Amino acid sequence: GNPGPGGWGAILRWRDTEKEIFGGEPETTNNRMELLAVIEGLRVLKKPCSVVVYTDSQYVQKGMTEWLAGWKAKDFKVEGGGYRPNHDLWRELDDLARNHVVEWHWVKGHAGHVENDRADALARQGVETVR
Protein backbone atom coordinates (compact mmCIF):
# COMPACT_ATOMS: atom_id res chain seq x y z
CA GLY A 1 0.00 0.00 0.00
CA ASN A 2 0.89 3.68 -0.01
CA PRO A 3 3.21 4.90 2.74
CA GLY A 4 1.53 6.54 5.70
CA PRO A 5 1.29 6.08 9.45
CA GLY A 6 1.18 2.43 10.46
CA GLY A 7 1.20 0.28 13.54
CA TRP A 8 2.00 -3.25 14.57
CA GLY A 9 0.97 -5.32 17.54
CA ALA A 10 1.80 -8.74 18.91
CA ILE A 11 0.80 -10.97 21.80
CA LEU A 12 3.41 -13.32 23.23
CA ARG A 13 2.22 -16.24 25.34
CA TRP A 14 4.21 -18.71 27.37
CA ARG A 15 2.20 -21.05 29.59
CA ASP A 16 -0.10 -18.75 31.59
CA THR A 17 1.87 -15.56 30.96
CA GLU A 18 1.05 -13.04 28.23
CA LYS A 19 2.94 -9.98 27.07
CA GLU A 20 1.49 -7.41 24.67
CA ILE A 21 3.80 -5.30 22.54
CA PHE A 22 3.08 -2.65 19.91
CA GLY A 23 4.66 0.20 18.01
CA GLY A 24 4.27 2.40 14.98
CA GLU A 25 6.05 4.38 12.31
CA PRO A 26 5.00 7.68 10.73
CA GLU A 27 5.77 6.61 7.13
CA THR A 28 5.41 2.92 6.43
CA THR A 29 3.35 0.23 4.68
CA ASN A 30 1.10 -2.59 5.91
CA ASN A 31 3.63 -5.21 4.79
CA ARG A 32 6.43 -3.56 6.78
CA MET A 33 4.23 -3.47 9.86
CA GLU A 34 3.27 -7.14 9.46
CA LEU A 35 6.96 -8.04 9.31
CA LEU A 36 7.87 -5.79 12.22
CA ALA A 37 5.25 -7.40 14.48
CA VAL A 38 6.96 -10.79 14.10
CA ILE A 39 10.48 -9.32 14.28
CA GLU A 40 9.72 -7.50 17.53
CA GLY A 41 8.02 -10.57 18.96
CA LEU A 42 11.08 -12.73 18.25
CA ARG A 43 13.40 -10.01 19.60
CA VAL A 44 11.74 -10.33 23.02
CA LEU A 45 12.83 -13.97 23.33
CA LYS A 46 15.94 -14.32 25.53
CA LYS A 47 16.96 -17.84 24.45
CA PRO A 48 16.22 -20.32 21.65
CA CYS A 49 12.58 -21.44 21.78
CA SER A 50 9.99 -23.45 19.93
CA VAL A 51 7.69 -20.75 18.60
CA VAL A 52 4.29 -20.88 16.90
CA VAL A 53 3.55 -17.69 14.96
CA TYR A 54 -0.04 -16.90 14.04
CA THR A 55 -0.36 -14.10 11.49
CA ASP A 56 -3.15 -12.78 9.29
CA SER A 57 -0.48 -11.82 6.74
CA GLN A 58 -0.05 -14.31 3.90
CA TYR A 59 2.89 -12.10 2.87
CA VAL A 60 4.70 -13.03 6.10
CA GLN A 61 3.55 -16.66 6.28
CA LYS A 62 4.25 -17.52 2.64
CA GLY A 63 7.39 -15.41 2.64
CA MET A 64 8.90 -17.45 5.44
CA THR A 65 7.64 -20.86 4.30
CA GLU A 66 7.67 -20.65 0.48
CA TRP A 67 9.50 -17.64 -0.95
CA LEU A 68 12.46 -16.87 1.32
CA ALA A 69 14.84 -19.55 0.02
CA GLY A 70 14.50 -18.25 -3.55
CA TRP A 71 14.89 -14.63 -2.47
CA LYS A 72 18.03 -15.47 -0.50
CA ALA A 73 19.49 -17.40 -3.45
CA LYS A 74 19.23 -14.17 -5.48
CA ASP A 75 20.45 -12.01 -2.53
CA PHE A 76 16.99 -10.39 -2.49
CA LYS A 77 17.68 -8.85 -5.92
CA VAL A 78 14.92 -8.45 -8.48
CA GLU A 79 15.07 -8.16 -12.25
CA GLY A 80 16.75 -4.90 -13.14
CA GLY A 81 19.22 -5.09 -10.26
CA GLY A 82 17.31 -3.44 -7.43
CA TYR A 83 16.37 -5.05 -4.15
CA ARG A 84 13.09 -6.74 -3.27
CA PRO A 85 10.79 -4.50 -1.20
CA ASN A 86 11.41 -4.88 2.53
CA HIS A 87 14.60 -6.88 1.98
CA ASP A 88 16.04 -5.27 5.13
CA LEU A 89 13.22 -6.63 7.29
CA TRP A 90 13.19 -10.02 5.57
CA ARG A 91 16.93 -10.40 6.32
CA GLU A 92 16.35 -9.41 9.94
CA LEU A 93 13.40 -11.78 10.34
CA ASP A 94 15.39 -14.62 8.76
CA ASP A 95 18.31 -13.99 11.16
CA LEU A 96 16.01 -13.93 14.20
CA ALA A 97 13.96 -16.96 13.13
CA ARG A 98 17.12 -19.04 12.67
CA ASN A 99 17.67 -18.89 16.45
CA HIS A 100 14.39 -20.71 17.08
CA VAL A 101 12.22 -23.54 15.83
CA VAL A 102 9.34 -21.64 14.24
CA GLU A 103 5.98 -22.87 12.91
CA TRP A 104 4.15 -20.36 10.71
CA HIS A 105 0.34 -20.36 10.70
CA TRP A 106 -1.95 -18.06 8.73
CA VAL A 107 -5.28 -17.03 10.24
CA LYS A 108 -7.99 -15.10 8.46
CA GLY A 109 -8.03 -11.47 9.57
CA HIS A 110 -11.16 -9.84 11.00
CA ALA A 111 -12.81 -13.25 11.36
CA GLY A 112 -13.32 -13.44 15.11
CA HIS A 113 -9.92 -14.95 15.97
CA VAL A 114 -9.63 -13.46 19.48
CA GLU A 115 -5.85 -13.01 19.60
CA ASN A 116 -5.73 -11.68 16.06
CA ASP A 117 -8.39 -9.10 16.90
CA ARG A 118 -6.38 -8.12 20.00
CA ALA A 119 -3.21 -7.77 17.91
CA ASP A 120 -5.12 -5.50 15.49
CA ALA A 121 -6.20 -3.34 18.43
CA LEU A 122 -2.57 -3.15 19.58
CA ALA A 123 -1.55 -2.11 16.07
CA ARG A 124 -4.09 0.71 16.22
CA GLN A 125 -2.47 1.82 19.49
CA GLY A 126 0.85 1.76 17.64
CA VAL A 127 -0.56 4.10 14.98
CA GLU A 128 -1.75 6.48 17.69
CA THR A 129 1.77 6.70 19.11
CA VAL A 130 3.04 8.25 15.86
CA ARG A 131 0.09 10.50 14.97
Side-chain angles (χ1 to χ4, degrees):
N2 294 329
W8 59 268
I11 302 161
L12 291 87
R13 181 180 297 136
W14 185 72
R15 296 186 179 161
D16 294 330
T17 304
E18 281 189 350
K19 179 180 180 80
E20 293 182 344
I21 59 175
F22 63 90
E25 291 183 1
E27 284 294 310
T28 191
T29 63
N30 286 346
N31 283 345
R32 286 189 73 80
M33 293 296 92
E34 299 283 5
L35 286 163
L36 212 50
V38 183
I39 288 168
E40 295 298 344
L42 292 177
R43 265 198 198 131
V44 169
L45 305 176
K46 304 283 188 245
K47 61 185 181 185
C49 300
S50 288
V51 179
V52 181
V53 173
Y54 293 92
T55 176
D56 64 6
S57 169
Q58 288 192 2
Y59 178 66
V60 170
Q61 191 264 336
K62 287 181 187 284
M64 290 304 290
T65 60
E66 297 176 26
W67 307 329
L68 186 65
W71 293 345
K72 285 170 63 172
K74 295 178 181 171
D75 190 33
F76 294 89
K77 293 264 175 79
V78 294
E79 211 167 302
Y83 283 104
R84 174 164 302 289
N86 305 316
H87 69 94
D88 55 330
L89 295 182
W90 282 112
R91 290 172 200 265
E92 190 171 358
L93 180 53
D94 182 41
D95 286 345
L96 286 165
R98 266 189 295 211
N99 296 322
H100 308 284
V101 177
V102 184
E103 279 180 49
W104 301 92
H105 294 275
W106 177 78
V107 295
K108 186 172 173 54
H110 312 290
H113 187 281
V114 174
E115 287 85 358
N116 186 251
D117 292 343
R118 284 175 56 202
D120 280 345
L122 289 167
R124 287 192 295 278
Q125 279 184 259
V127 173
E128 290 309 312
T129 67
V130 296
R131 280 198 195 266

